[in-house]
Amino acid sequence: MCGIVGYLGEKEAFPIIIKGLQRLEYRGYDSSGVAILGGASGLQHHRKKGKVEALLTEVGENPPSGHLGIGHTRWATHGAPNDVNAHPHLSGDGQLALIHNGIIENYHALKETLTERGHEFYSDTDTEVLVHLIEEVLKSSEDLDLFEATRIALNEVVGAYAIAVIDIARPEELILARKSSPLVIGIGEGEYFVASDATPIVEYTKNVVYLEDEEVARVSLTSGMKIRTIRNHKVTPVITELEMALESIEKGGYEHFMLKEIHEQPRSIQDCLRGRLSLGHNTVRMAGIDDHEPMWKDAKRLIIVACGTSWHAGLIAEYMFEDFARIPVEVEYASEFRYRNPVIGEGDILIAISQSGETADTLAAIRMAKERGAHVFGICNVVGSSISRESHSGAYTHAGPEIGVASTKAFTAQLTVLTLVAMRVGELRNALDSQRRNRLMVELESIPEKIQSMLDQDQKLASIAKVYMSAPNALFLGRGFNFPVALEGALKLKEISYIHAEGYPAAEMKHGPIALIDENMPVFIVATQDAHYEKVLSNIQEVKARGGKIIAVVTKGDKEVARIADHTIEVHPSDDALVPILSTIPFQLLSYHIAVMLDRNVDQPRNLAKSVTVE
Ligand code: G6P
């Protein structure tokens, strides 16, 4: 979603801001803009619909010059994606420029009041209302500076925001604030960087301050950093060190981030397992669980909340928790859970799964669960993210930055962490016997190697992709642990190729999707040799009898499916619970190749955002 970049220092701000915006492109956006403050040139303001490239074309050969600037990539919420609605937005007198992520929920009421006071608006955005509100407060008293005016104005705002504001009259300072939308401040040598996540900052400095909710900051070249809450309490900034490496956010020779991330999975899973498997003691080490042992032993129920791909990981985890730990589990879309009146309280553990750790609905679900007395265990990829900070305990997936909008390595790392959590909880609850525990641990250790051998089948998958790239629809089927893999396979394909795809539990095919099957319908099915093998074989026969095409993921050496299917892709045998980590890989690669063949924007598919920070 929207991205924020800001710079204050001795260097030219424009190139730093443009590079930062390009680093944030992965979040998904539809327009961009900059405001640069330079001595004699004053405020130079450019906005353009489309990619950052379009903004650069608009700016032409005379880029704005100055040492203070803000830049933004906008993902439209209020008002169409066009030049006029793009940020930065200016105050009525043109003195202030502001960029904003989030949604100002009471913008309509604020706009009416400001209009009555003579303010005129040129855009449809909630953001323009906010900059007018700050202008109004600033002008209400000569004693107020921009920092104070912003702080006071934010007390009138309902909603979510991360903002950066500059003032023509104050070329030495940048004002920032956040609520429910992240903002990171990088501290360099005599310079400051600001961004909605750390990716634009990491190449300049590792020292960062994460603003907390309802905090307002001023960074100034003369007086340093000052933070207060919007209710005017003093806050001492806490500087943390970024763990991110610059290489991890670059393509490293791959054509797309998605392909790089698919290929990183043997390593990302190893990173995720590191230090957590203790084969000698036949146990799993997870501080987030070990520190709360009695709670996990006595938990009445687990509720898993997540969105998108992370929700699919949650569905697979449900099978694992039931199997390993014999504990009741519910898996919920965070957006549904938070707007019901769910029965949750003490004795319940809410597991929130989120790659970004910033998804607005998942964050809101966490807050609701905490208010009602449940313990919150967060599983996040982004270190220091809002969900990781707001959870009582948790575990990181350690997959490294995921830039491609379609989640791949974060998903398999989530499955790995969830397996470890389910195993540890199963052990604590005496539900997982030591032999199975041991087998699972040995199997987990071999997963990176097994994934590597799947990746080595890439050319075969590319040739299968070529056969089906023009299909208008696709069906994905699976059973048991592999039913959510079918959902995830369909999601991957539709996200990046725009082919309509549906995922179903194979047995449900007869209750509807079978009506769609004809010779134009490819059916991607997981048919590995597990408890459901025979039943899946029957489903395959049913598809073939109606002329459908079968692309089956099978266990290495399988002959039966190979006899009927149009194509088979082999995965190494593994414990049923671990097969999804393997069976999902061919679907990632097939979707990738189809999208490339269709000339889609693989890393930034249309309309999608990497991190959904508005509900
Ligand atoms: C967006 C992304 C998906 C992701 C979902 C949940 O829709 O495009 O890839 O699965 O958000 O995000 P989270 O960061 O909470 O896992």
Side-chain angles (χ1 to χ4, degrees), residues 1 26-27 305-312 352-363 379-382 387 402 404-408 410-411 414 488 491-492 495 605 608-613:
M1 296 224 142
Y26 79 96
R27 293 166 70 100
V305 292
C307 304
T309 290
S310 300
W311 182 74
H312 294 156
I353 310 170
S354 174
Q355 187 287 128
S356 62
E358 302 294 346
T359 301
D361 283 320
T362 311
L363 200 50
I379 297 180
C380 297
N381 193 38
V382 177
I387 293 175
E402 190 180 66
V405 162
S407 186
T408 52
F411 177 61
Q414 285 167 345
E488 175 61 10
L491 178 65
K492 282 293 83 84
E495 277 181 316
L608 291 178
K610 181 72 187 159
S611 168
V612 179
T613 49

Short mmCIF file of all heavy atoms in Angstrom, two decimals, residues 1 26-27 305-312 352-363 379-382 387 402 404-408 410-411 414 488 491-492 495 605 608-613, ligand 1:
data_model
loop_
_atom_site.label_atom_id
_atom_site.label_comp_id
_atom_site.label_asym_id
_atom_site.label_seq_id
_atom_site.Cartn_x
_atom_site.Cartn_y
_atom_site.Cartn_z
N MET A 1 0.84 -1.19 0.00
CA MET A 1 0.00 0.00 0.00
C MET A 1 0.87 1.23 0.00
O MET A 1 2.04 1.14 -0.29
CB MET A 1 -0.90 0.00 1.23
CG MET A 1 -1.84 -1.15 1.23
SD MET A 1 -3.49 -0.66 1.70
CE MET A 1 -4.46 -1.65 0.63
N TYR A 26 7.33 -2.21 -4.32
CA TYR A 26 6.81 -3.56 -4.08
C TYR A 26 5.52 -3.54 -3.26
O TYR A 26 4.73 -4.48 -3.31
CB TYR A 26 7.86 -4.43 -3.36
CG TYR A 26 7.97 -4.17 -1.88
CD1 TYR A 26 7.29 -4.96 -0.97
CD2 TYR A 26 8.77 -3.15 -1.38
CE1 TYR A 26 7.39 -4.74 0.39
CE2 TYR A 26 8.87 -2.91 -0.03
CZ TYR A 26 8.18 -3.71 0.86
OH TYR A 26 8.27 -3.48 2.20
N ARG A 27 5.28 -2.46 -2.52
CA ARG A 27 4.10 -2.43 -1.66
C ARG A 27 2.81 -2.31 -2.47
O ARG A 27 1.74 -2.58 -1.95
CB ARG A 27 4.19 -1.24 -0.69
CG ARG A 27 5.31 -1.38 0.32
CD ARG A 27 5.57 -0.06 1.01
NE ARG A 27 4.52 0.32 1.91
CZ ARG A 27 4.54 0.16 3.23
NH1 ARG A 27 5.59 -0.41 3.79
NH2 ARG A 27 3.56 0.55 3.98
N VAL A 305 -5.77 -16.20 13.60
CA VAL A 305 -6.31 -15.13 12.73
C VAL A 305 -5.22 -14.70 11.75
O VAL A 305 -4.04 -14.64 12.11
CB VAL A 305 -6.81 -13.89 13.51
CG1 VAL A 305 -8.05 -14.20 14.31
CG2 VAL A 305 -5.72 -13.29 14.36
N ALA A 306 -5.63 -14.42 10.53
CA ALA A 306 -4.68 -13.99 9.50
C ALA A 306 -5.47 -13.56 8.27
O ALA A 306 -6.71 -13.66 8.25
CB ALA A 306 -3.73 -15.13 9.14
N CYS A 307 -4.76 -13.08 7.26
CA CYS A 307 -5.38 -12.70 5.98
C CYS A 307 -4.55 -13.32 4.85
O CYS A 307 -3.36 -13.58 5.01
CB CYS A 307 -5.36 -11.19 5.78
SG CYS A 307 -6.14 -10.27 7.10
N GLY A 308 -5.18 -13.49 3.71
CA GLY A 308 -4.47 -13.89 2.48
C GLY A 308 -3.70 -15.19 2.64
O GLY A 308 -4.20 -16.18 3.21
N THR A 309 -2.49 -15.18 2.14
CA THR A 309 -1.64 -16.38 2.19
C THR A 309 -1.42 -16.83 3.63
O THR A 309 -1.39 -18.03 3.92
CB THR A 309 -0.30 -16.07 1.49
OG1 THR A 309 -0.56 -15.95 0.09
CG2 THR A 309 0.72 -17.15 1.73
N SER A 310 -1.27 -15.87 4.53
CA SER A 310 -1.03 -16.24 5.94
C SER A 310 -2.22 -17.02 6.51
O SER A 310 -2.04 -17.89 7.36
CB SER A 310 -0.80 -14.97 6.77
OG SER A 310 0.31 -14.28 6.28
N TRP A 311 -3.40 -16.70 6.02
CA TRP A 311 -4.60 -17.45 6.47
C TRP A 311 -4.52 -18.90 5.99
O TRP A 311 -4.89 -19.82 6.69
CB TRP A 311 -5.84 -16.74 5.92
CG TRP A 311 -7.14 -17.36 6.35
CD1 TRP A 311 -7.72 -17.29 7.58
CD2 TRP A 311 -8.03 -18.12 5.52
NE1 TRP A 311 -8.92 -17.97 7.58
CE2 TRP A 311 -9.14 -18.49 6.33
CE3 TRP A 311 -8.01 -18.52 4.19
CZ2 TRP A 311 -10.21 -19.25 5.84
CZ3 TRP A 311 -9.08 -19.28 3.71
CH2 TRP A 311 -10.16 -19.64 4.53
N HIS A 312 -3.99 -19.09 4.79
CA HIS A 312 -3.81 -20.47 4.30
C HIS A 312 -2.84 -21.24 5.20
O HIS A 312 -3.04 -22.43 5.47
CB HIS A 312 -3.31 -20.47 2.85
CG HIS A 312 -4.31 -19.91 1.88
ND1 HIS A 312 -3.97 -19.36 0.68
CD2 HIS A 312 -5.67 -19.81 1.98
CE1 HIS A 312 -5.07 -18.95 0.06
NE2 HIS A 312 -6.11 -19.21 0.83
N ALA A 352 -1.67 -15.01 15.81
CA ALA A 352 -1.81 -14.09 14.65
C ALA A 352 -0.65 -14.36 13.71
O ALA A 352 0.51 -14.34 14.13
CB ALA A 352 -1.77 -12.65 15.13
N ILE A 353 -0.98 -14.63 12.45
CA ILE A 353 0.08 -14.92 11.47
C ILE A 353 0.11 -13.78 10.46
O ILE A 353 -0.91 -13.43 9.88
CB ILE A 353 -0.19 -16.25 10.71
CG1 ILE A 353 -0.51 -17.37 11.70
CG2 ILE A 353 0.99 -16.62 9.83
CD1 ILE A 353 -1.01 -18.64 11.02
N SER A 354 1.29 -13.21 10.26
CA SER A 354 1.39 -12.09 9.31
C SER A 354 2.82 -11.93 8.83
O SER A 354 3.73 -11.79 9.64
CB SER A 354 0.93 -10.80 9.98
OG SER A 354 1.14 -9.71 9.14
N GLN A 355 3.00 -11.97 7.51
CA GLN A 355 4.33 -11.73 6.95
C GLN A 355 4.81 -10.34 7.35
O GLN A 355 5.86 -10.17 7.92
CB GLN A 355 4.27 -11.89 5.43
CG GLN A 355 5.59 -11.83 4.69
CD GLN A 355 6.21 -10.46 4.58
OE1 GLN A 355 7.39 -10.30 4.94
NE2 GLN A 355 5.48 -9.48 4.16
N SER A 356 4.01 -9.33 6.99
CA SER A 356 4.43 -7.94 7.19
C SER A 356 4.39 -7.53 8.65
O SER A 356 5.13 -6.65 9.07
CB SER A 356 3.52 -7.01 6.40
OG SER A 356 2.19 -7.12 6.88
N GLY A 357 3.48 -8.14 9.40
CA GLY A 357 3.27 -7.70 10.78
C GLY A 357 2.55 -6.37 10.86
O GLY A 357 2.50 -5.74 11.92
N GLU A 358 1.97 -5.93 9.74
CA GLU A 358 1.31 -4.62 9.72
C GLU A 358 -0.13 -4.70 9.22
O GLU A 358 -0.78 -3.65 9.12
CB GLU A 358 2.07 -3.62 8.82
CG GLU A 358 3.52 -3.39 9.19
CD GLU A 358 3.70 -2.71 10.54
OE1 GLU A 358 2.72 -2.18 11.07
OE2 GLU A 358 4.83 -2.73 11.06
N THR A 359 -0.63 -5.85 8.85
CA THR A 359 -1.95 -5.94 8.25
C THR A 359 -3.01 -5.40 9.23
O THR A 359 -3.12 -5.87 10.37
CB THR A 359 -2.24 -7.40 7.86
OG1 THR A 359 -1.22 -7.78 6.95
CG2 THR A 359 -3.59 -7.55 7.18
N ALA A 360 -3.75 -4.39 8.74
CA ALA A 360 -4.63 -3.64 9.65
C ALA A 360 -5.65 -4.54 10.34
O ALA A 360 -5.86 -4.41 11.55
CB ALA A 360 -5.34 -2.54 8.86
N ASP A 361 -6.27 -5.46 9.61
CA ASP A 361 -7.31 -6.29 10.22
C ASP A 361 -6.71 -7.25 11.26
O ASP A 361 -7.31 -7.50 12.30
CB ASP A 361 -8.05 -7.08 9.13
CG ASP A 361 -9.05 -6.19 8.39
OD1 ASP A 361 -9.71 -5.37 9.04
OD2 ASP A 361 -9.15 -6.32 7.16
N THR A 362 -5.53 -7.78 10.95
CA THR A 362 -4.91 -8.73 11.89
C THR A 362 -4.52 -7.98 13.18
O THR A 362 -4.71 -8.48 14.29
CB THR A 362 -3.70 -9.41 11.23
OG1 THR A 362 -4.10 -9.88 9.95
CG2 THR A 362 -3.18 -10.57 12.05
N LEU A 363 -4.01 -6.78 12.99
CA LEU A 363 -3.64 -5.95 14.15
C LEU A 363 -4.87 -5.65 15.01
O LEU A 363 -4.82 -5.73 16.24
CB LEU A 363 -3.01 -4.65 13.61
CG LEU A 363 -2.14 -3.81 14.53
CD1 LEU A 363 -1.08 -4.64 15.21
CD2 LEU A 363 -1.47 -2.70 13.70
N ILE A 379 3.11 -14.56 14.89
CA ILE A 379 4.10 -15.18 14.00
C ILE A 379 4.30 -14.21 12.83
O ILE A 379 3.42 -14.05 11.99
CB ILE A 379 3.63 -16.56 13.51
CG1 ILE A 379 3.49 -17.50 14.71
CG2 ILE A 379 4.60 -17.14 12.47
CD1 ILE A 379 3.04 -18.90 14.37
N CYS A 380 5.43 -13.51 12.82
CA CYS A 380 5.67 -12.45 11.84
C CYS A 380 6.99 -12.68 11.14
O CYS A 380 7.89 -13.33 11.68
CB CYS A 380 5.75 -11.09 12.52
SG CYS A 380 4.23 -10.63 13.33
N ASN A 381 7.10 -12.09 9.97
CA ASN A 381 8.38 -12.14 9.27
C ASN A 381 9.19 -10.87 9.50
O ASN A 381 10.40 -10.92 9.67
CB ASN A 381 8.15 -12.37 7.77
CG ASN A 381 9.43 -12.73 7.05
OD1 ASN A 381 10.26 -13.46 7.61
ND2 ASN A 381 9.62 -12.21 5.87
N VAL A 382 8.49 -9.72 9.49
CA VAL A 382 9.21 -8.45 9.61
C VAL A 382 9.53 -8.17 11.08
O VAL A 382 8.63 -8.00 11.91
CB VAL A 382 8.42 -7.30 8.97
CG1 VAL A 382 9.15 -5.98 9.18
CG2 VAL A 382 8.20 -7.57 7.48
N ILE A 387 2.71 -5.96 14.69
CA ILE A 387 2.11 -7.17 15.30
C ILE A 387 3.12 -7.86 16.22
O ILE A 387 2.77 -8.31 17.31
CB ILE A 387 1.58 -8.12 14.20
CG1 ILE A 387 0.40 -7.46 13.50
CG2 ILE A 387 1.20 -9.50 14.78
CD1 ILE A 387 -0.19 -8.22 12.32
N GLU A 402 10.62 -10.05 2.10
CA GLU A 402 9.90 -10.59 0.94
C GLU A 402 9.36 -9.38 0.17
O GLU A 402 8.54 -8.62 0.69
CB GLU A 402 8.77 -11.50 1.39
CG GLU A 402 8.16 -12.28 0.23
CD GLU A 402 7.04 -13.20 0.69
OE1 GLU A 402 6.00 -12.69 1.16
OE2 GLU A 402 7.20 -14.42 0.60
N GLY A 404 8.40 -9.49 -3.48
CA GLY A 404 7.34 -9.85 -4.43
C GLY A 404 5.99 -9.80 -3.72
O GLY A 404 5.88 -10.28 -2.58
N VAL A 405 4.99 -9.22 -4.37
CA VAL A 405 3.69 -9.11 -3.70
C VAL A 405 3.13 -10.50 -3.39
O VAL A 405 2.56 -10.73 -2.32
CB VAL A 405 2.70 -8.28 -4.57
CG1 VAL A 405 1.27 -8.53 -4.14
CG2 VAL A 405 3.02 -6.81 -4.43
N ALA A 406 3.29 -11.44 -4.31
CA ALA A 406 2.78 -12.79 -4.06
C ALA A 406 3.72 -13.49 -3.07
O ALA A 406 4.90 -13.65 -3.32
CB ALA A 406 2.73 -13.56 -5.37
N SER A 407 3.17 -13.88 -1.96
CA SER A 407 3.99 -14.45 -0.89
C SER A 407 4.43 -15.88 -1.23
O SER A 407 3.62 -16.70 -1.66
CB SER A 407 3.18 -14.46 0.40
OG SER A 407 3.97 -14.87 1.47
N THR A 408 5.70 -16.16 -1.08
CA THR A 408 6.21 -17.51 -1.37
C THR A 408 7.05 -18.01 -0.19
O THR A 408 6.61 -18.86 0.57
CB THR A 408 7.06 -17.51 -2.66
OG1 THR A 408 8.07 -16.49 -2.57
CG2 THR A 408 6.20 -17.29 -3.89
N ALA A 410 7.78 -16.57 2.53
CA ALA A 410 7.20 -16.28 3.85
C ALA A 410 6.18 -17.37 4.21
O ALA A 410 6.08 -17.76 5.37
CB ALA A 410 6.54 -14.91 3.86
N PHE A 411 5.46 -17.87 3.20
CA PHE A 411 4.45 -18.91 3.44
C PHE A 411 5.11 -20.19 3.94
O PHE A 411 4.69 -20.76 4.96
CB PHE A 411 3.68 -19.16 2.14
CG PHE A 411 2.65 -20.26 2.22
CD1 PHE A 411 1.58 -20.18 3.10
CD2 PHE A 411 2.74 -21.39 1.39
CE1 PHE A 411 0.61 -21.19 3.16
CE2 PHE A 411 1.79 -22.39 1.45
CZ PHE A 411 0.73 -22.30 2.33
N GLN A 414 6.32 -19.72 7.36
CA GLN A 414 5.21 -19.75 8.34
C GLN A 414 4.83 -21.20 8.65
O GLN A 414 4.63 -21.57 9.81
CB GLN A 414 3.98 -19.04 7.76
CG GLN A 414 4.11 -17.54 7.74
CD GLN A 414 3.04 -16.86 6.89
OE1 GLN A 414 2.36 -17.50 6.10
NE2 GLN A 414 2.89 -15.55 7.04
N GLU A 488 -4.03 -22.02 -1.79
CA GLU A 488 -2.87 -21.16 -1.99
C GLU A 488 -2.41 -21.20 -3.46
O GLU A 488 -2.02 -20.17 -4.03
CB GLU A 488 -1.75 -21.59 -1.02
CG GLU A 488 -0.42 -20.88 -1.17
CD GLU A 488 -0.47 -19.37 -0.95
OE1 GLU A 488 -1.49 -18.85 -0.49
OE2 GLU A 488 0.53 -18.71 -1.28
N LEU A 491 -4.73 -19.02 -5.36
CA LEU A 491 -4.45 -17.60 -5.05
C LEU A 491 -3.21 -17.12 -5.80
O LEU A 491 -3.23 -16.03 -6.41
CB LEU A 491 -4.27 -17.43 -3.53
CG LEU A 491 -3.92 -16.01 -3.06
CD1 LEU A 491 -5.08 -15.05 -3.33
CD2 LEU A 491 -3.59 -15.99 -1.57
N LYS A 492 -2.16 -17.93 -5.79
CA LYS A 492 -0.92 -17.52 -6.49
C LYS A 492 -1.21 -17.25 -7.95
O LYS A 492 -0.80 -16.25 -8.51
CB LYS A 492 0.17 -18.60 -6.42
CG LYS A 492 0.96 -18.76 -5.17
CD LYS A 492 1.86 -17.63 -4.80
CE LYS A 492 1.14 -16.55 -4.08
NZ LYS A 492 0.90 -16.57 -2.72
N GLU A 495 -3.45 -14.10 -8.48
CA GLU A 495 -2.76 -12.86 -8.11
C GLU A 495 -1.85 -12.34 -9.22
O GLU A 495 -1.86 -11.15 -9.51
CB GLU A 495 -1.86 -13.10 -6.88
CG GLU A 495 -2.54 -13.04 -5.55
CD GLU A 495 -1.56 -13.26 -4.41
OE1 GLU A 495 -0.70 -14.18 -4.49
OE2 GLU A 495 -1.64 -12.54 -3.43
N PRO A 605 1.73 -7.02 -9.14
CA PRO A 605 0.49 -7.23 -9.89
C PRO A 605 -0.50 -6.09 -9.66
O PRO A 605 -0.49 -5.48 -8.59
CB PRO A 605 -0.04 -8.55 -9.36
CG PRO A 605 0.79 -8.92 -8.20
CD PRO A 605 1.99 -8.07 -8.14
N LEU A 608 -2.95 -4.90 -6.37
CA LEU A 608 -2.61 -5.58 -5.11
C LEU A 608 -1.57 -4.79 -4.32
O LEU A 608 -0.80 -4.03 -4.89
CB LEU A 608 -2.06 -6.97 -5.39
CG LEU A 608 -3.05 -7.99 -5.93
CD1 LEU A 608 -2.35 -9.32 -6.19
CD2 LEU A 608 -4.19 -8.19 -4.93
N ALA A 609 -1.57 -5.00 -3.03
CA ALA A 609 -0.58 -4.37 -2.17
C ALA A 609 0.11 -5.45 -1.35
O ALA A 609 -0.50 -6.46 -1.01
CB ALA A 609 -1.25 -3.38 -1.25
N LYS A 610 1.36 -5.23 -1.06
CA LYS A 610 2.11 -6.20 -0.28
C LYS A 610 1.67 -6.17 1.18
O LYS A 610 1.56 -7.19 1.84
CB LYS A 610 3.61 -5.89 -0.38
CG LYS A 610 4.52 -6.84 0.37
CD LYS A 610 4.59 -8.17 -0.32
CE LYS A 610 5.34 -9.21 0.46
NZ LYS A 610 4.97 -10.57 0.02
N SER A 611 1.47 -4.97 1.66
CA SER A 611 1.16 -4.84 3.06
C SER A 611 -0.13 -4.02 3.17
O SER A 611 -0.17 -2.86 2.78
CB SER A 611 2.36 -4.13 3.70
OG SER A 611 2.08 -3.71 4.96
N VAL A 612 -1.21 -4.67 3.62
CA VAL A 612 -2.52 -4.03 3.57
C VAL A 612 -2.77 -3.31 4.90
O VAL A 612 -3.28 -3.89 5.85
CB VAL A 612 -3.62 -5.06 3.23
CG1 VAL A 612 -4.99 -4.40 3.20
CG2 VAL A 612 -3.33 -5.68 1.86
N THR A 613 -2.38 -2.04 4.93
CA THR A 613 -2.42 -1.30 6.19
C THR A 613 -3.71 -0.52 6.39
O THR A 613 -3.83 0.23 7.34
CB THR A 613 -1.20 -0.35 6.27
OG1 THR A 613 -1.13 0.37 5.04
CG2 THR A 613 0.08 -1.11 6.47
C1 G6P B 1 -1.73 -8.95 1.09
C2 G6P B 1 -0.55 -9.59 0.37
C3 G6P B 1 -0.59 -11.10 0.59
C4 G6P B 1 -0.63 -11.42 2.06
C5 G6P B 1 -1.78 -10.71 2.78
C6 G6P B 1 -1.64 -10.81 4.28
O1 G6P B 1 -2.92 -9.32 0.47
O2 G6P B 1 -0.59 -9.28 -1.00
O3 G6P B 1 0.56 -11.69 0.00
O4 G6P B 1 -0.77 -12.80 2.24
O5 G6P B 1 -1.76 -9.31 2.46
O6 G6P B 1 -0.49 -10.12 4.68
P1 G6P B 1 0.38 -10.41 5.93
O7 G6P B 1 1.53 -9.45 5.82
O8 G6P B 1 -0.48 -10.12 7.12
O9 G6P B 1 0.81 -11.82 5.88
#
